Amino acid sequence: MELKIENLSKTYANGVQALKNISLNISNGMFGLLGPNGAGKSTLMRIIATLQDSDTGSVYFRGIEVKNNKPKIRKILGYLPQDFGLDPQIEAIELLNHFAILKGISNKSQRKQLINELLNQTNLWDSRNKRLGSFSGGMKQRFGIAQALIGNPQLLIVDEPTAGLDPGERNRFHNLLSEIGENIVIMLSTHIVDDVTDLCKNMAIINKGEVYFNGKPSDILNSLQGKIWIKEIDKTGIHQYSDKYKILSTRLFDGQMLVRVYSEGSPHVSFSNCEPNLEDAYFYTINGVNSNLQ
Ligand code: ADP
């Protein structure tokens, strides 16, 4: 395994236990870390990115222990944090140049070539001389990936990159991530299930600082095969259902309510069986009834 996370725990000074003995094994390719807000995703990402220390446990990237080898790890790391503060007055190309200098790319023509490549790769070439303050949310995130890719990172950490993007921008961002390549570890944290569905071959679900599931999306989906049931109901009658059935989600469609229910067998003749999706798996896991999947 390329990235090994062993027994990480972290308690903040205010007493919040953000990580409780987290262990994960992560191979090359895109890994999705899925969990609700407050689950501990950013804390875990910051520890891997050398920006914060855990209280106990270790992280190894390709055999290098992270906490005691921060400079070495930083050389092969790309990081897009959740809150990426950018000086609104600076032009995109100017700031990329600055980041490239900080990353140690001292040769001017080499730097220029790299920056041009990154601007093209992230579809920002036409906006290279625009100030960052004029960028849309999606452009800012693509710029964030451009800076994270400087220096050819072997480990790319992207923290909640699609939060706040509109569907078109999210799509462009997904395409960009999917083109980065399978030979490095890309760790993507998100609370949006579709990010993982679209992009990740491997995933973990974390909640309340603990790993609830670690494996392939297909594993978790297979385990729910035949156990997801659906019914259209009148929305005023939802209370009758929530008392009787294990409701995973409800969705309004054409003024009617569509309920998705977990049940080993048919809950009632009025329900139809349907294909599980990752959102079913996520809610099932998070709601604490999924102990057989860990
Ligand atoms: P996520 O990224 O999944 O939303 P975080 O890692 O940001 O989760 O937070 C996990 C928990 O730790 C939350 O309860 C959060 O309020 C708390 N937390 C995060 N950062 C700090 C901090 N610097 N000081 C105190 N508590 C924090």
Side-chain angles (χ1 to χ4, degrees):
M1 283 295 163
E2 304 293 305
L3 182 65
K4 262 177 137 16
I5 296 163
E6 287 181 355
N7 308 109
L8 280 196
S9 292
K10 172 80 186 173
T11 301
Y12 285 107
N14 61 1
V16 172
Q17 213 181 337
L19 299 180
K20 300 172 191 162
N21 204 29
I22 291 240
S23 294
L24 291 170
N25 285 318
I26 298 173
S27 51
N28 279 343
M30 189 97 70
F31 183 89
L33 186 66
L34 183 62
N37 288 328
K41 302 182 296 296
S42 293
T43 302
L44 178 60
M45 301 293 232
R46 283 198 301 264
I47 292 170
I48 301 168
T50 76
L51 298 172
Q52 204 170 303
D53 286 338
S54 59
D55 301 330
T56 58
S58 310
V59 179
Y60 296 88
F61 182 63
R62 295 186 179 161
I64 305 168
E65 202 276 329
V66 167
K67 203 196 269 186
N68 296 311
N69 294 286
K70 287 180 183 167
K72 216 173 190 175
I73 292 295
R74 284 174 189 158
K75 280 205 182 111
I76 51 174
L77 172 80
Y79 177 53
L80 174 57
Q82 198 175 354
D83 300 309
F84 188 46
L86 294 170
D87 182 339
Q89 299 301 328
I90 297 187
E91 289 177 11
I93 195 163
E94 206 182 321
L95 190 56
L96 270 188
N97 188 48
H98 175 69
F99 281 135
I101 292 168
L102 289 181
K103 278 237 176 165
I105 302 167
S106 51
N107 181 298
K108 203 171 170 186
S109 63
Q110 201 187 342
R111 207 161 59 228
K112 192 172 170 199
Q113 192 190 341
L114 170 73
I115 289 167
N116 290 353
E117 278 168 18
L118 288 172
L119 285 166
N120 277 312
Q121 189 180 353
T122 53
N123 235 329
L124 290 171
W125 175 254
D126 291 343
S127 309
R128 66 192 179 282
N129 294 119
K130 289 196 180 136
R131 288 169 190 228
L132 292 162
S134 72
F135 273 23
S136 69
M139 288 162 83
K140 279 184 188 148
Q141 291 305 70
R142 280 183 279 134
F143 180 85
I145 283 293
Q147 66 76 27
L149 288 176
I150 296 171
N152 231 349
Q154 298 304 297
L155 172 61
L156 182 63
I157 294 181
V158 200
D159 197 356
E160 298 258 5
T162 62
L165 299 191
D166 69 37
E169 285 177 328
R170 229 182 76 222
N171 221 346
R172 275 192 289 279
F173 194 80
H174 281 183
N175 288 335
L176 171 62
L177 281 183
S178 70
E179 283 161 11
I180 289 173
E182 289 289 301
N183 298 325
I184 69 171
V185 173
I186 305 177
M187 203 171 168
L188 165 89
S189 88
T190 184
H191 63 269
I192 301 167
V193 176
D194 286 345
D195 286 349
V196 176
T197 310
D198 291 356
L199 293 168
C200 302
K201 276 202 281 192
N202 292 290
M203 65 177 288
I205 295 175
I206 71 166
N207 190 27
K208 298 177 183 159
E210 290 181 82
V211 177
Y212 281 43
F213 171 78
N214 180 200
K216 294 188 181 307
S218 55
D219 295 339
I220 199 167
L221 291 179
N222 287 341
S223 70
L224 290 180
Q225 202 64 45
K227 297 174 184 169
I228 305 298
W229 304 83
I230 192 167
K231 183 179 177 183
E232 212 174 88
I233 63 165
D234 190 284
K235 62 185 177 217
T236 54
I238 182 68
H239 300 298
Q240 290 164 258
Y241 287 87
S242 50
D243 291 345
K244 262 194 187 151
Y245 304 109
K246 178 82 216 158
I247 294 180
L248 295 170
S249 61
T250 59
R251 182 158 294 158
L252 283 173
F253 185 73
D254 245 356
Q256 285 287 97
M257 187 172 266
L258 216 51
V259 280
R260 295 177 78 90
V261 163
Y262 172 86
S263 176
E264 299 272 336
S266 171
H268 185 264
V269 285
S270 57
F271 282 85
S272 325
N273 192 248
C274 71
E275 277 296 306
N277 61 36
L278 206 54
E279 192 174 82
D280 298 325
Y282 176 63
F283 287 131
Y284 183 62
T285 306
I286 291 294
N287 292 334
V289 281
N290 202 8
S291 52
N292 59 329
L293 282 169
Q294 284 183 47

